[in-house]
């Protein structure tokens, strides 16, 4: 089975297993997803979802958050860890959105990468979830699982994993595929315990079990 064939079969099975998988960060507007994905670094999405309502209650718009003091933001977001650096990035990002993009999140990948605190993973998440454009989000679940499955060969650097996956994942499938990897990585193909291969829908085609 070629990697392309394996990728298509993995996509098909994960669709059956997690038909409704989507982003696990709560948001109603694009700028709020930008904030949440920055807070999610080294923090669970569940914790971020608890913290951000307090932030938006106090600062309900891009403009309000741009005008807030970094210390005010930090006070609210510190339960997510790395409070000062995250607050600093959020403040700078909102200021740039206000001053250079009319308060709107740009739908251009390169423009997104210019925003403070936004890397390729965050930019891909915005492109896929907000704008419905082809995207591959190489978070820790994605990197771990695609290596175990054999879709990539010992590649751990996020940008390189993304590049390899673009070769074999149909563009229209990338965003949902990565969301399903998150669900599968949390529930079955776990990191901190031995993977539950006995209840994995990919057991018979996973390289980990075929070697």
């Amino acid at each position: 089975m070629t990697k392309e064939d394996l990728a298509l079969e993995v996509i098909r099975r994960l669709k059956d297993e997690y038909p409704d998988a989507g982003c696990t960060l709560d948001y109603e507007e694009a700028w709020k997803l930008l904030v949440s994905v920055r807070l999610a670094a080294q923090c669970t999405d569940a914790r971020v979802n608890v913290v951000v309502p307090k932030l938006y209650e106090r600062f309900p718009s891009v403009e309000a958050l741009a005008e807030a003091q970094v210390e005010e933001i930090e006070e609210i977001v510190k339960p997510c860890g790395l409070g000062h650096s995250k607050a600093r990035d959020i403040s700078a990002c909102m200021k740039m959105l206000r001053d250079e993009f009319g308060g709107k999140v740009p739908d251009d990948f390169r423009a997104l990468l210019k925003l403070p605190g936004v890397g390729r993973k965050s930019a891909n998440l915005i492109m896929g979830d907000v704008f419905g454009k082809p995207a591959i989000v190489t978070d820790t679940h994605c990197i771990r699982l695609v290596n175990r499955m054999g879709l990539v060969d010992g590649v751990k650097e996020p940008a390189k994993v993304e590049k390899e996956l673009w070769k074999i994942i149909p563009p229209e499938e990338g965003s949902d595929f990565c969301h399903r990897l998150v669900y599968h990585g949390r529930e079955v193909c776990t990191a901190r315990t031995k993977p539950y291969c006995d209840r994995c829908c990919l057991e018979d085609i996973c390289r980990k079990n075929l070697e």
Side-chain angles (χ1 to χ4, degrees), residues 68-194:
Q69 296 295 313
V70 171
E71 292 75 17
E72 294 178 300
I73 299 171
E74 181 180 355
E75 180 185 348
I76 298 172
V77 305
K78 62 184 177 182
C80 296
L82 304 174
H84 186 70
S85 62
K86 290 179 178 180
R88 185 186 60 221
D89 284 345
I90 288 169
S91 175
C93 182
M94 295 301 112
K95 283 181 169 66
M96 186 175 285
L97 286 183
R98 179 195 63 190
D99 298 341
E100 298 187 26
F101 297 101
K104 303 293 184 183
V105 176
D107 62 353
D108 177 79
F109 190 79
R110 291 183 180 178
L112 285 169
L113 291 178
K114 294 179 182 178
L115 296 171
V118 176
R120 294 189 66 86
K121 181 179 77 171
S122 302
N124 270 300
L125 184 65
I126 296 291
M127 292 297 285
D129 276 47
V130 175
F131 300 114
K133 296 187 177 183
I136 289 178
V137 181
T138 50
D139 65 1
T140 56
H141 292 293
C142 173
I143 294 169
R144 182 177 74 256
L145 268 63
V146 297
N147 273 281
R148 283 179 177 172
M149 294 171 187
L151 293 178
V152 301
D153 302 312
V155 183
K156 300 297 174 67
E157 186 180 323
K160 291 181 179 179
V161 172
E162 180 189 337
K163 182 179 179 181
E164 291 303 304
L165 290 178
W166 277 122
K167 299 175 183 177
I168 58 175
I169 303 294
E172 69 278 7
E173 298 285 359
S175 182
D176 288 341
F177 169 66
C178 292
H179 285 320
R180 292 186 173 104
L181 289 179
V182 171
Y183 280 66
H184 197 62
R186 289 176 179 171
E187 297 177 15
V188 179
C189 198
T190 53
R192 296 185 180 180
T193 65
K194 185 178 179 182

Side-chain angles (χ1 to χ4, degrees), residues 42-63:
Q42 299 181 45
C43 179
T44 65
D45 290 0
R47 182 178 292 262
V48 172
N49 290 339
V50 169
V51 169
V52 290
K54 301 171 188 174
L55 184 67
Y56 304 144
E57 182 179 355
R58 189 164 174 184
F59 307 110
S61 66
V62 169
E63 292 75 16

